Amino acid sequence: MFFLRLSMEVGMMKRVVEMIAILLLPYICLAAEESSVVDSLDQIPVYEMPGITVTATRIPRRLSDVPLGTEVITASEIEESGASDVGELLRSGVGVDVKSYGYLGSASFISIRGSASSQVLVLVDGRPINSVSLGVADLSEVTLSDVRRVEVVRGPVSSLWGANALGGVVNIITGSTSEKTSTKGTAEFGSYRKQVYSASASSFLGGLGFNLSTMWRAGDGERDNSDYEGRKFSGKIGYSGIEWLNADLSGALERFELGLPGPIPDSISKYGNEEVTSLSDRQKNDKRYLDLSVEMKLSEKNRGRAKFYYERREMDCRAVYDGWDSNTFSYYKAIEDDDYLTTVVGTNLQFEVLNAVNDGVVVGFDVAISKFDATQVVLNDSTKEETVTRWTPSDTVFGIYVESHFHPTEMVGLIGSARYDRSWAYGDRISPNAGIIAQFSPSARAKFSIGQAFRAPTLNDLYWPESEWTGGNPDLRPEIGVGMELRVEYEPLELLNVASSVFRRDVENLIVWAPSSDYKWRPTNLNEFHSNGIEVEFELGPISGAKLKGHLTYNYAFQKDQEAGDRQYDWSLVERRAAFIPKTKGYLSGSYKAPFGLDFLMDVEYTGRRVTYFEDYIGFNPVTVEKWLESAAVVNGNVGFNVGPQYFFIKVDNIFDSRYSEEFGYGLTDRDYPRPGRTFSYGMKIQLK
């Protein structure tokens, strides 16, 4: 089936090549003027594509040697951004759309090149953190207090990482232990009584490195019942006392609580007010993990790596709403308390056999055991009767992968990878990927990649408990996608990088909840998604302390939905613009490190219009109705300065107080989730070495 799809893509690729040829022509011409032969890959200067990635290929490689579009956000860029969590940080990412439900601590989810959030795999030090019950990762939960770099791979990489890497991968890499003793701390205050305090300390003794960090943050929120309070304690012990052995043991404890105000209602809400849908809905979380990583140097170029991890998460949710009593045909006040406990135990073993130019073979396998224990208690506030529902699904996934790097000539690099995954819950999948890199000169290259990836159904999709109206579907299959990218990178000057990508993605078997033959709503493999897009990005500097960078993405995406023409479930395929995805997304930032320790940063985010669809009725016939979120441009600014070991900063988000929403609400008539207007924060950082 894959090869049939591949042959169908050939005609499309001809059109893609024609379109990209115009874009690449200036780069190729300039490259031809400079050099037609690359003497050796080792002669390529570091400045061409600064940075190393460990996510796009599962071994450290230069970005110039990776066929997929990949962005690395370094520690200095994280500091410069002023962000407090990964959701805020990635708003500036190339091809990335981060949707947030509010201010500090509110949930934020990532989309890459139009993917669903559940189609993006999020890792912390290579450990998956996507929810096994919901399929998504909330980026607002990952604070930046101990993060030293973030890598974003735009494209299908299930051939290396398995399930949910259909749209891409985000790998959050935490700080390593140091051979120096240091202490640093941060205090930040801002709008809506925002407070953030963090501290960390590191030391080194006899081959052992120690790092401890803690963070506390809280805020009232911009609306009623949007408050947040969270605390985190983490630590890492590293061992490097033997030349051929490195090991890290890390762990964390985290607790936070937040209000869930919901969208702005169209009128005064029964359980809220004129600004929030709910004054009672709350969520509490308790997370902890342990992660042991070991690297063994078997020879100069051959290594073995092992990882063992354990994660436990408990989430308590409370909600108040109108329930429906089918016996009395009337509504009642329902008070729901849910307790969700998730545990994941996993391991990874990897072996690398490489030669002098870093070509060779990487082989590895993963095992992950997931258990989900959910208890739902619904109280009828009128009769005081309780309905208790419990479900305890689990899954074990085994994956084995192989990756090969090969340079048939000094100008051409080939990368191929494939992975086999076997799940006890949803069956097996094979995910191949191939890429080629053509090096025209030390400063110009073209890349092409194509791969197949998948998103696994969640445990809730498969095993949601049977009720009068809903139920799971154990026969679900994964969503399957094919993605391809043609990319060019060029560095005409030592301090100027430009790049362009043309990409396409086709996804089948999209999982949607829909009426089934037994008149219950169940998840079903029904719909399709297709997108065609182009990215342009550049980075200039630093020149005399000034740096300018920006990117623009145009993405034409459409979906094909199976819909019932009437209420008899005679399904038909309807094509329309894809929901939730802006056609245009852009970002521009400028920074300047002035004399006397002054730092300035200003950036502009632009997001185009987005649409979603709701079902309305004309008479007794269902009609699909569009709902739109308008485009928005937001300007942010930071100012900082050093006074000895202290660093003071002032940050203003949404300087011009733009009023907009970036996430849809529950229905056609509510007023969605508003983003905060102008907000301020200020604070101090101190580091003692």
Side-chain angles (χ1 to χ4, degrees):
M1 186 68 185
F2 171 72
F3 294 105
L4 176 61
R5 166 58 65 98
L6 193 60
S7 64
M8 294 173 63
E9 296 290 352
V10 172
M12 182 277 297
M13 277 306 305
K14 291 180 179 178
R15 297 192 296 271
V16 172
V17 171
E18 291 172 357
M19 179 168 58
I20 196 64
I22 299 174
L23 185 64
L24 303 188
L25 186 59
Y27 299 159
I28 297 174
C29 292
L30 285 170
E33 292 177 3
E34 294 185 8
S35 174
S36 60
V37 177
V38 179
D39 295 331
S40 169
L41 289 175
D42 293 334
Q43 293 180 358
I44 300 174
V46 175
Y47 68 78
E48 287 188 330
M49 188 61 65
I52 299 292
T53 176
V54 298
T55 307
T57 62
R58 290 202 81 147
I59 58 172
R61 292 191 75 88
R62 293 175 299 181
L63 288 175
S64 58
D65 293 334
V66 175
L68 288 164
T70 303
E71 181 178 12
V72 176
I73 304 174
T74 63
S76 60
E77 291 171 327
I78 293 173
E79 286 285 337
E80 187 179 74
S81 72
S84 62
D85 59 55
V86 174
E88 288 183 42
L89 177 70
L90 291 183
R91 299 182 71 88
S92 63
V94 181
V96 164
D97 184 21
V98 176
K99 305 180 186 70
S100 176
Y101 285 81
Y103 193 47
L104 178 72
S106 297
S108 61
F109 303 110
I110 185 173
S111 167
I112 297 179
R113 291 178 173 172
S115 69
S117 299
S118 57
Q119 296 170 348
V120 177
L121 178 64
V122 181
L123 311 167
V124 174
D125 294 325
R127 172 176 54 87
I129 64 169
N130 290 56
S131 167
V132 299
S133 59
L134 301 175
V136 298
D138 183 358
L139 298 181
S140 71
E141 296 181 3
V142 186
T143 60
L144 294 170
S145 57
D146 57 352
V147 173
R148 64 185 172 95
R149 60 193 274 126
V150 178
E151 301 184 3
V152 182
V153 183
R154 308 187 297 276
V157 277
S158 287
S159 61
L160 295 176
W161 296 100
N164 307 326
L166 196 159
V169 173
V170 176
N171 194 5
I172 302 154
I173 300 169
T174 61
S176 59
T177 55
S178 172
E179 295 186 3
K180 297 180 180 180
T181 298
S182 66
T183 304
K184 61 180 180 179
T186 301
E188 180 179 353
F189 310 91
S191 302
Y192 309 114
R193 297 181 64 184
K194 174 183 177 181
Q195 301 176 69
V196 180
Y197 304 96
S198 68
S200 67
S202 62
S203 186
F204 188 82
L205 179 64
L208 287 174
F210 303 89
N211 183 280
L212 298 175
S213 65
T214 184
M215 170 178 261
W216 181 85
R217 57 178 185 161
D220 286 348
E222 78 282 12
R223 296 191 293 153
D224 293 338
N225 194 36
S226 63
D227 57 294
Y228 171 89
E229 181 180 2
R231 54 183 62 89
K232 178 181 180 180
F233 177 80
S234 61
K236 179 175 284 190
I237 302 174
Y239 176 73
S240 57
I242 303 176
E243 182 181 357
W244 54 269
L245 178 65
N246 287 292
D248 286 309
L249 175 64
S250 60
L253 300 172
E254 185 174 2
R255 292 180 179 177
F256 56 93
E257 180 179 355
L258 67 156
L260 305 172
I264 300 177
D266 56 348
S267 58
I268 296 178
S269 172
K270 182 176 181 179
Y271 299 110
N273 55 33
E274 66 278 2
E275 289 297 321
V276 303
T277 300
S278 173
L279 291 169
S280 304
D281 293 3
R282 307 284 298 177
Q283 179 179 316
K284 294 181 180 180
N285 295 267
D286 188 317
K287 300 187 342 183
R288 58 197 67 183
Y289 77 85
L290 282 174
D291 188 321
L292 173 63
S293 298
V294 179
E295 178 184 339
M296 293 173 290
K297 186 177 180 180
L298 307 177
S299 67
E300 186 62 31
K301 297 295 290 186
N302 302 329
R303 284 174 171 79
R305 304 175 195 268
K307 175 182 284 290
F308 308 92
Y309 60 88
Y310 165 81
E311 180 177 335
R312 181 186 186 276
R313 172 169 181 160
E314 186 172 4
M315 181 169 64
D316 298 318
C317 298
R318 173 186 169 89
V320 179
Y321 56 90
D322 279 336
W324 173 255
D325 190 332
S326 58
N327 295 320
T328 62
F329 296 97
S330 62
Y331 288 101
Y332 64 92
K333 181 181 179 180
I335 302 175
E336 181 175 334
D337 284 292
D338 301 333
D339 184 18
Y340 305 114
L341 175 62
T342 303
T343 57
V344 180
V345 178
T347 185
N348 167 256
L349 295 179
Q350 179 173 295
F351 302 92
E352 305 159 13
V353 182
L354 307 176
N355 60 26
V357 293
N358 221 24
D359 282 350
V361 177
V362 178
V363 179
F365 70 88
D366 302 302
V367 178
I369 302 171
S370 307
K371 294 183 179 181
F372 182 54
D373 189 342
T375 303
Q376 181 186 79
V377 180
V378 180
L379 171 68
N380 186 324
D381 196 48
S382 300
T383 64
K384 304 304 178 183
E385 295 180 354
E386 285 188 348
T387 302
V388 180
T389 305
R390 186 182 181 191
W391 63 105
T392 57
S394 62
D395 188 21
T396 299
V397 178
F398 169 84
I400 183 169
Y401 58 89
V402 59
E403 179 183 14
S404 177
H405 302 254
F406 174 57
H407 282 85
T409 73
E410 293 178 339
M411 296 182 61
V412 177
L414 302 176
I415 296 179
S417 56
R419 179 179 171 119
Y420 170 79
D421 284 280
R422 174 66 180 179
S423 163
W424 271 238
Y426 57 81
D428 54 2
R429 289 298 312 161
I430 295 177
S431 307
N433 197 297
I436 183 171
I437 302 169
Q439 192 80 39
F440 299 121
S441 79
S443 60
R445 68 197 66 87
K447 305 177 177 182
F448 174 75
S449 64
I450 182 170
Q452 190 177 61
F454 71 101
R455 177 232 155 181
T458 68
L459 293 181
N460 274 345
D461 290 333
L462 294 163
Y463 304 117
W464 188 265
E466 294 291 320
S467 69
E468 185 178 2
W469 306 106
T470 61
N473 182 359
D475 296 325
L476 274 178
R477 304 298 296 163
E479 300 176 350
I480 302 172
V482 175
M484 58 179 60
E485 176 182 359
L486 187 59
R487 179 175 174 83
V488 63
E489 298 169 350
Y490 183 51
E491 297 86 43
L493 303 171
E494 180 176 348
L495 300 176
L496 175 61
N497 300 327
V498 292
S500 303
S501 295
V502 169
F503 59 87
R504 178 179 174 92
R505 180 180 296 130
D506 300 282
V507 185
E508 298 177 345
N509 295 340
L510 286 180
I511 298 171
V512 294
W513 286 70
S516 60
S517 58
D518 60 358
Y519 301 99
K520 292 184 180 182
W521 285 78
R522 298 184 184 277
T524 309
N525 297 109
L526 278 181
N527 298 340
E528 300 177 15
F529 170 85
H530 306 271
S531 69
N532 303 276
I534 184 170
E535 294 169 349
V536 179
E537 54 192 287
F538 78 94
E539 182 172 348
L540 175 63
I543 301 174
S544 300
K547 184 167 64 174
L548 187 68
K549 64 185 298 185
H551 53 82
L552 181 66
T553 300
Y554 176 82
N555 188 2
Y556 174 70
F558 60 95
Q559 59 193 47
K560 294 182 178 180
D561 298 342
Q562 296 281 355
E563 292 187 355
D566 54 31
R567 300 189 65 83
Q568 304 303 315
Y569 308 110
D570 55 338
W571 299 100
S572 60
L573 200 63
V574 179
E575 182 178 316
R576 55 171 62 97
R577 177 173 167 173
F580 313 119
I581 301 170
K583 280 188 177 180
T584 308
K585 182 80 176 176
Y587 176 81
L588 180 66
S589 74
S591 62
Y592 178 54
K593 292 187 177 296
F596 310 109
L598 286 172
D599 296 330
F600 299 92
L601 171 67
M602 181 167 288
D603 61 65
V604 182
E605 306 170 26
Y606 173 80
T607 304
R609 299 178 75 210
R610 282 171 287 184
V611 66
T612 192
Y613 306 96
F614 290 95
E615 192 176 76
D616 201 0
Y617 289 87
I618 299 178
F620 293 98
N621 297 319
V623 177
T624 299
V625 180
E626 296 179 350
K627 184 179 184 180
W628 290 84
L629 295 181
E630 295 304 317
S631 60
V634 179
V635 181
N636 311 298
N638 295 358
V639 178
F641 56 94
N642 284 295
V643 179
Q646 294 89 14
Y647 182 80
F648 298 89
F649 62 90
I650 301 172
K651 180 181 178 184
V652 184
D653 289 328
N654 197 355
I655 292 174
F656 297 104
D657 200 26
S658 299
R659 299 292 175 170
Y660 68 104
S661 297
E662 62 182 20
E663 187 58 74
F664 290 96
Y666 300 154
L668 185 62
T669 59
D670 66 31
R671 292 183 284 158
D672 307 305
Y673 286 86
R675 286 290 296 160
R678 185 188 301 112
T679 58
F680 301 86
S681 62
Y682 61 94
M684 178 188 72
K685 301 177 183 179
I686 183 170
Q687 180 162 348
L688 304 176
K689 297 183 180 180

